[in-house]
Amino acid sequence: MRNLTLLTDLYQLTMMQGYLRCGKQDEMAVFDVFFRHIDDFSEYAVVAGLEQAVEYIRDIHFGPEELDYIRNLHIFDEDFLEYLKNFRFEGDIDAMPEGTICFPGEPLVRVKAKLPQAQLIETALLNIVNHQTLIATKASRVVYAAQNTAVMEFGLRRAQGPDAGLYGARAAIIGGCDSTSNVLAGQMFDVAVKGTHAHSWVMSFPSELEAFRAYADVFPDGCMLLVDTYDALKSGMPNAIKVFNELRAKGHEPVGIRIDSGDLAYLSKQARRMMDEAGFPNTIVCASGDLDEELIWDLRAQGAAIDIWGVGTKMITSKNNPALGGVYKLSALEENGQLVPKIKISESQWKITNPGVKQVWRLYDADGMATADLVTLEDEVIDESRPLTIFDPVETWKRMTLTDFTARPLLQPVLRKGEVVCDLPPLNEIKKYAKKEMATLWEEYKRLKNPHIFKVDLSDKLYALKQELLSRGG
């Protein structure tokens, strides 16, 4: 296994040495991971990547090779290298479980540790959580567009490197995909792998019909034929139906056909009609070829007879929004033995951070639908038996009073003193949890275009603290 300890930015190490020189190595600090917005992409995000982040943090150690490399940079002194030699992460981490729906401005992960320890993990933590959360979110949009039809993740060959393909496939499953074409991802994460054959299979035989017959001979109980190598309706479909009839005569039933190009709405409807008329109403139509959530939505609106979608490039790269933009900001620092709230101030209102050690509460109505999120200080408790008035932290005149509601804390213990204290569920369980989470969102928040903005408000106590720090310049 690779040692990922040096998967960090150089300035994390230079700051760590600076903290030691300044005598700040034992000061406790609290950092939040959050994203500010996702441009014109999605109102929500699906948390993913926590398991890999935990593995990275748990395994941090500076071995001889890492120490030699750092020494040869000629930047760091031997006292710092000796400190690194014995380095272990010994802090606390709380996080939203993978598959949780989250929104801009609220902490997905909260880190509490000695300042140098908390500083070191910033880069890798953001790398892992940003990427998987982005792809899980993109996949959830694709799955939403597909409605009750299945989605296969087909992106490995177009992913931006092996790790992006592997962990992107993992994230896509969390987002709701049913299977992946990525065999290594299937092995590592125990998820279904699916695929058919390529155009090259058809082209490698003297005729399309011979290619189909050969494939059916090799896979008689898993025969799905790619019909658009030459002409989907004039040759592909007639040849596929011939082979399907031959399979049935031998006691096997075909799976269906795949179309990878052309007018997918028209071709799928014609292919469906041809298979139905030939006596194969239970076969499926699979579509692939540069699909994304908007094209799938349009195809379904046009009545496309597609049962399963193979989605690759635009999902594995999140093509229309290639980065989540999550950040890692200091929210509290130990001073004279007490954690003191910290705030980052900016001329841009959306770049001003929320201070203190915080918790995020999801508020549900009597039907179990998510109504709003409330960011509070950690020591606050929400009394469900009393009315709760929440307000927009910027446009404070926007207020709502909740009466019949329930509240759930979203940040849960993950690490305590560097040790894992939570279950890290298998991928299929995370997928089921994410599906339940999505079901608590009103359709207005899941809209592909111009979704309604979900309420993320601050408690009175946190709002007052923020205003106090702003008034005195931090």
Side-chain angles (χ1 to χ4, degrees):
M1 179 180 290
R2 291 176 298 172
N3 182 354
L4 297 180
T5 299
L6 294 185
L7 186 67
T8 190
D9 292 308
L10 180 63
Y11 81 167
Q12 310 291 11
L13 295 171
T14 57
M15 283 190 287
M16 289 173 70
Q17 176 165 286
Y19 291 145
L20 265 67
R21 287 275 190 93
C22 297
K24 299 173 72 67
Q25 66 269 23
D26 292 323
E27 290 182 7
M28 296 299 294
V30 178
F31 285 83
D32 296 329
V33 174
F34 63 95
F35 63 93
R36 297 189 179 100
H37 55 84
I38 328 181
D39 300 320
D40 185 25
F41 174 54
S42 177
E43 169 56 19
Y44 66 88
V46 181
V47 178
L50 181 62
E51 181 176 341
Q52 285 67 46
V54 167
E55 290 172 353
Y56 159 76
I57 293 168
R58 185 184 57 198
D59 295 339
I60 290 174
H61 67 280
F62 292 85
E65 291 184 9
E66 289 74 31
L67 292 171
D68 285 345
Y69 175 77
I70 295 172
R71 179 178 287 108
N72 290 330
L73 293 176
H74 304 295
I75 300 174
F76 303 100
D77 58 39
E78 288 299 320
D79 287 344
F80 180 59
L81 293 171
E82 188 64 26
Y83 169 82
L84 294 182
K85 183 178 179 180
N86 300 305
F87 184 95
R88 292 291 184 275
F89 182 83
E90 300 169 324
D92 298 344
I93 291 181
D94 294 77
M96 295 184 186
E98 289 192 90
T100 301
I101 305 302
C102 61
F103 300 93
E106 55 190 34
L108 321 182
V109 181
R110 188 183 73 211
V111 176
K112 180 181 179 183
K114 292 180 179 180
L115 185 54
Q117 296 181 24
Q119 193 72 66
L120 176 64
I121 68 172
E122 173 185 3
T123 301
L125 180 59
L126 287 176
N127 174 276
I128 295 166
V129 172
N130 273 338
H131 173 246
Q132 289 201 45
T133 299
L134 177 71
I135 304 305
T137 305
K138 179 69 171 181
S140 76
R141 288 168 57 82
V142 172
V143 169
Y144 176 73
Q147 295 292 307
N148 296 320
T149 51
V151 177
M152 300 182 289
E153 186 279 311
F154 271 12
L156 179 57
R157 66 187 58 193
R158 300 285 178 78
Q160 292 154 330
D163 282 354
L166 183 63
Y167 294 107
R170 179 185 187 273
I173 296 295
I174 293 174
C177 290
D178 294 274
S179 59
T180 178
S181 66
N182 187 329
V183 180
L184 181 56
Q187 179 196 36
M188 289 182 62
F189 307 125
D190 190 27
V191 295
V193 290
K194 290 186 179 179
T196 55
H197 62 78
H199 294 295
S200 57
W201 172 272
V202 178
M203 296 164 66
S204 70
F205 288 84
S207 70
E208 185 177 56
L209 181 58
E210 290 173 89
F212 287 177
R213 281 175 171 155
Y215 194 79
D217 185 59
V218 177
F219 300 104
D221 295 311
C223 183
M224 178 179 282
L225 300 175
L226 179 61
V227 297
D228 67 319
T229 302
Y230 303 122
D231 189 306
L233 299 183
K234 290 182 179 179
S235 68
M237 283 306 302
N239 285 329
I241 289 170
K242 284 181 185 178
V243 172
F244 289 172
N245 279 312
E246 292 167 1
L247 272 175
R248 180 173 283 174
K250 297 175 183 177
H252 304 283
E253 284 296 314
V255 174
I257 59 102
R258 178 164 71 97
I259 308 170
D260 190 54
S261 61
D263 186 333
L264 295 178
Y266 174 75
L267 292 175
S268 66
K269 286 185 280 189
Q270 293 303 311
R272 177 77 275 153
R273 177 186 60 78
M274 293 170 74
M275 288 191 291
D276 288 350
E277 290 176 354
F280 297 99
N282 296 321
T283 52
I284 65 173
V285 177
C286 173
S288 55
D290 286 331
L291 298 170
D292 65 5
E293 65 270 41
E294 294 183 13
L295 180 52
I296 290 173
W297 187 270
D298 288 344
L299 288 168
R300 291 187 67 258
Q302 294 165 33
I306 297 170
D307 305 292
I308 185 167
W309 311 82
V311 187
T313 304
K314 293 182 179 179
M315 183 164 66
I316 201 68
T317 63
S318 188
K319 187 173 181 180
N320 60 330
N321 194 84
L324 181 67
V327 295
Y328 186 82
K329 296 299 181 183
L330 181 69
S331 62
L333 184 66
E334 185 179 14
E335 295 179 5
N336 300 317
Q338 299 292 323
L339 278 174
V340 176
K342 295 292 181 179
I343 188 171
K344 177 189 179 300
I345 299 176
S346 171
E347 291 184 1
S348 300
Q349 184 277 329
W350 55 275
K351 280 198 168 186
I352 299 173
T353 61
N354 292 318
V357 185
K358 297 175 290 296
Q359 175 60 273
V360 183
W361 297 81
R362 180 141 303 152
L363 308 177
Y364 299 92
D365 65 18
D367 296 320
M369 299 299 289
T371 300
D373 281 2
L374 188 66
V375 185
T376 71
L377 294 173
E378 185 186 32
D379 60 359
E380 293 187 72
V381 176
I382 295 179
D383 186 351
E384 297 174 357
S385 66
R386 301 177 63 184
L388 175 66
T389 298
I390 59 176
F391 61 92
D392 186 288
V394 178
E395 299 170 324
T396 54
W397 62 91
K398 295 181 179 179
R399 293 174 176 262
M400 178 172 65
T401 298
L402 307 176
T403 52
D404 188 3
F405 72 96
T406 57
R408 175 169 72 103
L410 298 185
L411 292 174
Q412 299 294 317
V414 176
L415 294 180
R416 288 294 181 265
K417 297 182 180 179
E419 299 295 328
V420 179
V421 295
C422 69
D423 291 330
L424 296 173
L427 188 56
N428 281 319
E429 288 188 19
I430 298 172
K431 176 187 172 182
K432 290 177 184 177
Y433 167 70
K435 184 177 181 179
K436 290 180 180 178
E437 280 280 281
M438 285 295 292
T440 67
L441 281 188
W442 293 102
E443 296 296 303
E444 290 82 354
Y445 302 121
K446 295 183 275 193
R447 208 161 43 216
L448 299 181
K449 289 288 188 181
N450 300 315
H452 191 57
I453 297 174
F454 190 84
K455 299 174 181 65
V456 178
D457 297 342
L458 306 183
S459 69
D460 291 345
K461 190 174 180 181
L462 176 55
Y463 180 80
L465 172 63
K466 185 174 184 177
Q467 296 307 308
E468 177 190 347
L469 294 180
L470 284 172
S471 67
R472 63 184 204 219

PDB file of all heavy atoms in Angstrom, residues 461-473:
ATOM      1  N   LYS A 461     -27.737  32.082  18.925  1.00  0.00           N
ATOM      2  CA  LYS A 461     -26.473  32.167  19.658  1.00  0.00           C
ATOM      3  C   LYS A 461     -25.288  32.273  18.703  1.00  0.00           C
ATOM      4  O   LYS A 461     -24.372  33.090  18.913  1.00  0.00           O
ATOM      5  CB  LYS A 461     -26.334  30.945  20.567  1.00  0.00           C
ATOM      6  CG  LYS A 461     -25.188  31.014  21.557  1.00  0.00           C
ATOM      7  CD  LYS A 461     -25.250  29.818  22.509  1.00  0.00           C
ATOM      8  CE  LYS A 461     -24.107  29.865  23.520  1.00  0.00           C
ATOM      9  NZ  LYS A 461     -24.159  28.685  24.442  1.00  0.00           N
ATOM     10  N   LEU A 462     -25.290  31.469  17.649  1.00  0.00           N
ATOM     11  CA  LEU A 462     -24.197  31.525  16.680  1.00  0.00           C
ATOM     12  C   LEU A 462     -24.239  32.829  15.899  1.00  0.00           C
ATOM     13  O   LEU A 462     -23.193  33.444  15.635  1.00  0.00           O
ATOM     14  CB  LEU A 462     -24.278  30.326  15.734  1.00  0.00           C
ATOM     15  CG  LEU A 462     -23.260  30.277  14.593  1.00  0.00           C
ATOM     16  CD1 LEU A 462     -21.829  30.369  15.125  1.00  0.00           C
ATOM     17  CD2 LEU A 462     -23.437  29.015  13.762  1.00  0.00           C
ATOM     18  N   TYR A 463     -25.426  33.273  15.534  1.00  0.00           N
ATOM     19  CA  TYR A 463     -25.550  34.538  14.801  1.00  0.00           C
ATOM     20  C   TYR A 463     -25.015  35.698  15.648  1.00  0.00           C
ATOM     21  O   TYR A 463     -24.285  36.571  15.142  1.00  0.00           O
ATOM     22  CB  TYR A 463     -27.010  34.779  14.438  1.00  0.00           C
ATOM     23  CG  TYR A 463     -27.236  36.061  13.667  1.00  0.00           C
ATOM     24  CD1 TYR A 463     -26.991  36.131  12.306  1.00  0.00           C
ATOM     25  CD2 TYR A 463     -27.692  37.212  14.320  1.00  0.00           C
ATOM     26  CE1 TYR A 463     -27.190  37.310  11.598  1.00  0.00           C
ATOM     27  CE2 TYR A 463     -27.897  38.397  13.625  1.00  0.00           C
ATOM     28  CZ  TYR A 463     -27.650  38.438  12.262  1.00  0.00           C
ATOM     29  OH  TYR A 463     -27.845  39.610  11.570  1.00  0.00           O
ATOM     30  N   ALA A 464     -25.361  35.708  16.933  1.00  0.00           N
ATOM     31  CA  ALA A 464     -24.890  36.786  17.819  1.00  0.00           C
ATOM     32  C   ALA A 464     -23.370  36.758  17.953  1.00  0.00           C
ATOM     33  O   ALA A 464     -22.713  37.814  17.942  1.00  0.00           O
ATOM     34  CB  ALA A 464     -25.550  36.655  19.188  1.00  0.00           C
ATOM     35  N   LEU A 465     -22.799  35.556  18.070  1.00  0.00           N
ATOM     36  CA  LEU A 465     -21.346  35.434  18.163  1.00  0.00           C
ATOM     37  C   LEU A 465     -20.684  35.961  16.893  1.00  0.00           C
ATOM     38  O   LEU A 465     -19.685  36.703  16.948  1.00  0.00           O
ATOM     39  CB  LEU A 465     -20.963  33.972  18.391  1.00  0.00           C
ATOM     40  CG  LEU A 465     -19.468  33.640  18.330  1.00  0.00           C
ATOM     41  CD1 LEU A 465     -18.706  34.367  19.440  1.00  0.00           C
ATOM     42  CD2 LEU A 465     -19.255  32.132  18.411  1.00  0.00           C
ATOM     43  N   LYS A 466     -21.224  35.606  15.748  1.00  0.00           N
ATOM     44  CA  LYS A 466     -20.658  36.056  14.475  1.00  0.00           C
ATOM     45  C   LYS A 466     -20.708  37.576  14.363  1.00  0.00           C
ATOM     46  O   LYS A 466     -19.725  38.215  13.952  1.00  0.00           O
ATOM     47  CB  LYS A 466     -21.423  35.403  13.325  1.00  0.00           C
ATOM     48  CG  LYS A 466     -20.849  35.692  11.949  1.00  0.00           C
ATOM     49  CD  LYS A 466     -21.576  34.879  10.879  1.00  0.00           C
ATOM     50  CE  LYS A 466     -20.947  35.075   9.508  1.00  0.00           C
ATOM     51  NZ  LYS A 466     -21.609  34.233   8.471  1.00  0.00           N
ATOM     52  N   GLN A 467     -21.836  38.166  14.735  1.00  0.00           N
ATOM     53  CA  GLN A 467     -21.966  39.620  14.656  1.00  0.00           C
ATOM     54  C   GLN A 467     -20.997  40.322  15.629  1.00  0.00           C
ATOM     55  O   GLN A 467     -20.420  41.368  15.303  1.00  0.00           O
ATOM     56  CB  GLN A 467     -23.414  40.039  14.959  1.00  0.00           C
ATOM     57  CG  GLN A 467     -24.425  39.537  13.935  1.00  0.00           C
ATOM     58  CD  GLN A 467     -24.064  39.886  12.521  1.00  0.00           C
ATOM     59  OE1 GLN A 467     -23.789  41.061  12.208  1.00  0.00           O
ATOM     60  NE2 GLN A 467     -24.035  38.886  11.648  1.00  0.00           N
ATOM     61  N   GLU A 468     -20.812  39.721  16.784  1.00  0.00           N
ATOM     62  CA  GLU A 468     -19.877  40.296  17.762  1.00  0.00           C
ATOM     63  C   GLU A 468     -18.451  40.313  17.210  1.00  0.00           C
ATOM     64  O   GLU A 468     -17.744  41.333  17.301  1.00  0.00           O
ATOM     65  CB  GLU A 468     -19.920  39.496  19.070  1.00  0.00           C
ATOM     66  CG  GLU A 468     -18.931  39.985  20.119  1.00  0.00           C
ATOM     67  CD  GLU A 468     -18.830  39.037  21.312  1.00  0.00           C
ATOM     68  OE1 GLU A 468     -19.692  38.143  21.443  1.00  0.00           O
ATOM     69  OE2 GLU A 468     -17.878  39.207  22.105  1.00  0.00           O
ATOM     70  N   LEU A 469     -18.033  39.183  16.636  1.00  0.00           N
ATOM     71  CA  LEU A 469     -16.682  39.124  16.072  1.00  0.00           C
ATOM     72  C   LEU A 469     -16.515  40.046  14.873  1.00  0.00           C
ATOM     73  O   LEU A 469     -15.470  40.669  14.700  1.00  0.00           O
ATOM     74  CB  LEU A 469     -16.348  37.680  15.676  1.00  0.00           C
ATOM     75  CG  LEU A 469     -16.246  36.675  16.828  1.00  0.00           C
ATOM     76  CD1 LEU A 469     -15.915  35.282  16.304  1.00  0.00           C
ATOM     77  CD2 LEU A 469     -15.193  37.109  17.851  1.00  0.00           C
ATOM     78  N   LEU A 470     -17.573  40.154  14.063  1.00  0.00           N
ATOM     79  CA  LEU A 470     -17.489  41.075  12.916  1.00  0.00           C
ATOM     80  C   LEU A 470     -17.384  42.517  13.390  1.00  0.00           C
ATOM     81  O   LEU A 470     -16.632  43.316  12.809  1.00  0.00           O
ATOM     82  CB  LEU A 470     -18.737  40.898  12.040  1.00  0.00           C
ATOM     83  CG  LEU A 470     -18.799  39.666  11.150  1.00  0.00           C
ATOM     84  CD1 LEU A 470     -20.167  39.535  10.512  1.00  0.00           C
ATOM     85  CD2 LEU A 470     -17.714  39.721  10.085  1.00  0.00           C
ATOM     86  N   SER A 471     -18.100  42.869  14.436  1.00  0.00           N
ATOM     87  CA  SER A 471     -18.118  44.247  14.908  1.00  0.00           C
ATOM     88  C   SER A 471     -16.764  44.690  15.452  1.00  0.00           C
ATOM     89  O   SER A 471     -16.430  45.869  15.403  1.00  0.00           O
ATOM     90  CB  SER A 471     -19.194  44.439  15.965  1.00  0.00           C
ATOM     91  OG  SER A 471     -18.876  43.713  17.150  1.00  0.00           O
ATOM     92  N   ARG A 472     -15.993  43.708  15.970  1.00  0.00           N
ATOM     93  CA  ARG A 472     -14.681  44.081  16.493  1.00  0.00           C
ATOM     94  C   ARG A 472     -13.544  43.660  15.558  1.00  0.00           C
ATOM     95  O   ARG A 472     -12.389  43.603  15.962  1.00  0.00           O
ATOM     96  CB  ARG A 472     -14.492  43.511  17.893  1.00  0.00           C
ATOM     97  CG  ARG A 472     -14.501  42.019  18.011  1.00  0.00           C
ATOM     98  CD  ARG A 472     -14.391  41.614  19.472  1.00  0.00           C
ATOM     99  NE  ARG A 472     -13.836  40.277  19.609  1.00  0.00           N
ATOM    100  CZ  ARG A 472     -14.240  39.376  20.487  1.00  0.00           C
ATOM    101  NH1 ARG A 472     -15.231  39.691  21.310  1.00  0.00           N
ATOM    102  NH2 ARG A 472     -13.666  38.200  20.560  1.00  0.00           N
ATOM    103  N   GLY A 473     -13.901  43.333  14.314  1.00  0.00           N
ATOM    104  CA  GLY A 473     -12.888  43.047  13.314  1.00  0.00           C
ATOM    105  C   GLY A 473     -12.189  41.717  13.502  1.00  0.00           C
ATOM    106  O   GLY A 473     -11.028  41.566  13.076  1.00  0.00           O
TER     107      GLY A 473
END
